[in-house]
Amino acid sequence: MREDVLGRANVEDSPELDRYYNELGQQESYALWTVANSIEPWQPKPSSLPQLWSYQAMRPLVLKALDLVSPEKAGRRVIALENPGRKGTSACVGWLYTGLQVMKPGESASAHSHASSALRFIIEGKNAYTVVDGHKMDLNAGDFVITPNGTWHDHGVEASGETTIWQDGLDMLMVNQLDANFYAVHPETVQKSNYPLNDTAQVFGGPGLLPAGGEAWSKPYSPLFKYEWGRTYETLTRAAQATDGSPYDGIMMQYVNPATGGPVMKTLGAHIQLLRGGERTKAHRHTGSIVYTVAKGKGYSIIEGKRYDWNKSDIFVVPSWAWHEHANASERDDAVLFSFSDLPSMQALGLYREETFADNDGHQKLAH
Ligand code: GTQ
């Protein structure tokens, strides 16, 4: 890819150069100028495409897996979402992975750990649970839970519960890119739960309150593990009574590690945002890839000039540096978007950048 710009590679081909490139190839080397303009783009050029997965279309396919494979055989019974621009990479956007895991009452999936970090957002069901390093939590629709880097985790649905579908989000593809992943199977299939049910949420989940003194937390991830939907939604609606939030994000909250105020895990973060009735945000773009799940309501997002209409539990992705803006389709009811992202990685590595859309009162023109 030649570019006729001073400071960029612009070397014309010739038979002599072709012979030279062949010689270099034989020594496992190459001339930088043949690839420089591609490997040093002027700005991020994600091959991931914006994409929306309709829950209405995915749900029956996910439920079908219940009759086709057992969690014992599958390890995890998950239908994963792959970006159409990234076939073969297992990525839903950037180096993020997401999938819909389904379990019947009484089923469980065995305990393991990995160097990658995972999170889950419960889409539907009742009385599911996860055990993270011996801490057992019950999970219901709208709950958000983390299983950080290196922690043992297993999960299932209580016999008294209902078939549960949750969304898994992992950084494993990014960790694999860095050749840093490890995986281990727990010596016992199911971890013993050593603590009272929901203990970390009980101890660390107070509103603006943390245990004084003794119970300090020094691990590099949130001690809270679980963020319950009821309190999360209440927090959003209370904030909406007192602030207009951001013109780009509406009323947006970050799930944080209460011990630091920072993201829940080092690599992956998560947000929840409320769009009030009739609200339409302005467009912005930033580095970092985002996976959105519609937690409540209906609306649409415009991503790189194309409109994506969404309904409850739909999942859609915004690639890095893609313009995006959101709208609530209802004038009366609020809409809520859950999202997870690699923003903590971007920030930690000093790669975060953001830009607002200046023209047209902050709104993209729809491409036809
Ligand atoms: O539960 O840790 O969807 O390791 C994919 C890989 C979930 C998990 C997935 C995993 C997990």
Side-chain angles (χ1 to χ4, degrees):
M1 187 182 65
R2 289 171 59 187
E3 277 179 53
D4 189 9
V5 177
L6 195 66
R8 299 290 273 181
N10 188 17
V11 178
E12 64 276 25
D13 280 334
S14 73
E16 190 185 10
L17 276 172
D18 276 349
R19 282 194 296 278
Y20 175 57
Y21 296 153
N22 271 330
E23 282 175 351
L24 292 175
Q26 282 163 25
Q27 299 305 320
E28 312 303 340
S29 61
Y30 61 91
L32 172 63
W33 62 83
T34 60
V35 296
N37 296 342
S38 314
I39 64 176
E40 290 187 294
W42 293 97
Q43 56 183 38
K45 269 197 171 173
S47 48
S48 298
L49 302 169
Q51 171 74 17
L52 180 140
W53 290 268
S54 142
Y55 192 63
Q56 204 193 341
M58 288 306 301
R59 187 175 185 274
L61 289 170
V62 170
L63 292 174
K64 211 167 172 174
L66 287 170
D67 300 324
L68 297 174
V69 292
S70 66
E72 288 78 22
K73 286 217 166 168
R76 264 89 176 108
R77 191 201 277 122
V78 183
I79 305 307
L81 307 181
E82 190 171 53
N83 193 283
R86 304 289 301 292
K87 294 273 188 226
T89 63
S90 303
C92 62
V93 64
W95 289 110
L96 296 177
Y97 160 95
T98 202
L100 294 167
Q101 182 158 179
V102 61
M103 300 200 93
K104 280 194 281 230
E107 285 184 338
S108 62
S110 57
H112 69 203
S113 80
H114 29 68
S116 46
S117 292
L119 52 80
R120 298 170 221 295
F121 183 72
I122 315 303
I123 292 187
E124 61 171 282
K126 229 179 195 159
N127 285 343
Y129 64 87
T130 193
V131 185
V132 180
D133 274 349
H135 299 274
K136 184 171 182 178
M137 290 155 266
D138 59 350
L139 301 172
N140 291 291
D143 290 351
F144 165 66
V145 63
I146 58 168
T147 53
N149 166 342
T151 55
W152 293 111
H153 51 284
D154 59 89
H155 48 241
V157 179
E158 306 285 6
S160 61
E162 288 172 13
T163 294
T164 296
I165 300 178
W166 67 70
Q167 182 185 3
D168 289 328
L170 282 93
D171 62 5
M172 59 185 163
L173 308 174
M174 180 175 82
V175 175
N176 291 344
Q177 287 301 305
L178 299 170
D179 292 331
N181 215 350
F182 293 88
Y183 189 97
V185 171
H186 197 274
E188 292 155 64
T189 323
V190 171
Q191 291 177 81
K192 293 204 175 54
S193 181
N194 310 319
Y195 307 92
L197 184 69
N198 296 320
D199 71 304
T200 68
Q202 302 281 57
V203 173
F204 291 96
L209 295 166
L210 282 175
E215 249 168 306
W217 180 262
S218 55
K219 298 191 171 144
Y221 48 80
S222 172
L224 201 39
F225 294 139
K226 177 172 83 156
Y227 299 72
E228 284 170 15
W229 170 251
R231 299 179 70 173
T232 302
Y233 181 61
E234 190 197 337
T235 303
L236 287 173
T237 51
R238 286 173 71 138
Q241 288 165 16
T243 175
D244 288 339
S246 147
Y248 304 98
D249 296 312
I251 312 287
M252 177 136 126
M253 300 268 168
Q254 184 182 192
Y255 292 91
V256 298
N257 174 346
T260 63
V264 286
M265 298 185 285
K266 281 195 145 183
T267 50
L268 293 181
H271 289 79
I272 191 93
Q273 72 199 95
L274 181 144
L275 303 171
R276 289 160 296 176
E279 183 160 3
R280 183 172 176 197
T281 67
K282 295 184 176 200
H284 73 163
R285 63 179 176 182
H286 45 73
T287 50
S289 303
I290 317 282
V291 184
Y292 291 90
T293 309
V294 183
K296 183 173 186 287
K298 57 185 189 321
Y300 63 90
S301 298
I302 300 173
I303 311 167
E304 286 292 306
K306 196 171 160 204
R307 174 170 164 155
Y308 297 83
D309 287 276
W310 38 257
N311 287 295
K312 185 160 186 306
S313 304
D314 288 351
I315 296 172
F316 63 96
V317 294
V318 173
S320 184
W321 208 240
W323 292 114
H324 57 285
E325 60 193 90
H326 308 298
N328 183 346
S330 168
E331 287 299 322
R332 212 175 36 134
D333 301 324
D334 54 27
V336 179
L337 296 173
F338 167 83
S339 58
F340 78 92
S341 70
D342 54 12
L343 289 174
S345 302
M346 291 295 147
Q347 257 135 5
L349 298 172
L351 296 173
Y352 184 75
R353 279 209 211 184
E354 186 177 358
E355 200 171 271
T356 58
F357 194 80
D359 303 336
N360 198 28
D361 198 26
H363 296 295
Q364 300 161 77
K365 292 227 166 65
L366 283 173
H368 294 289

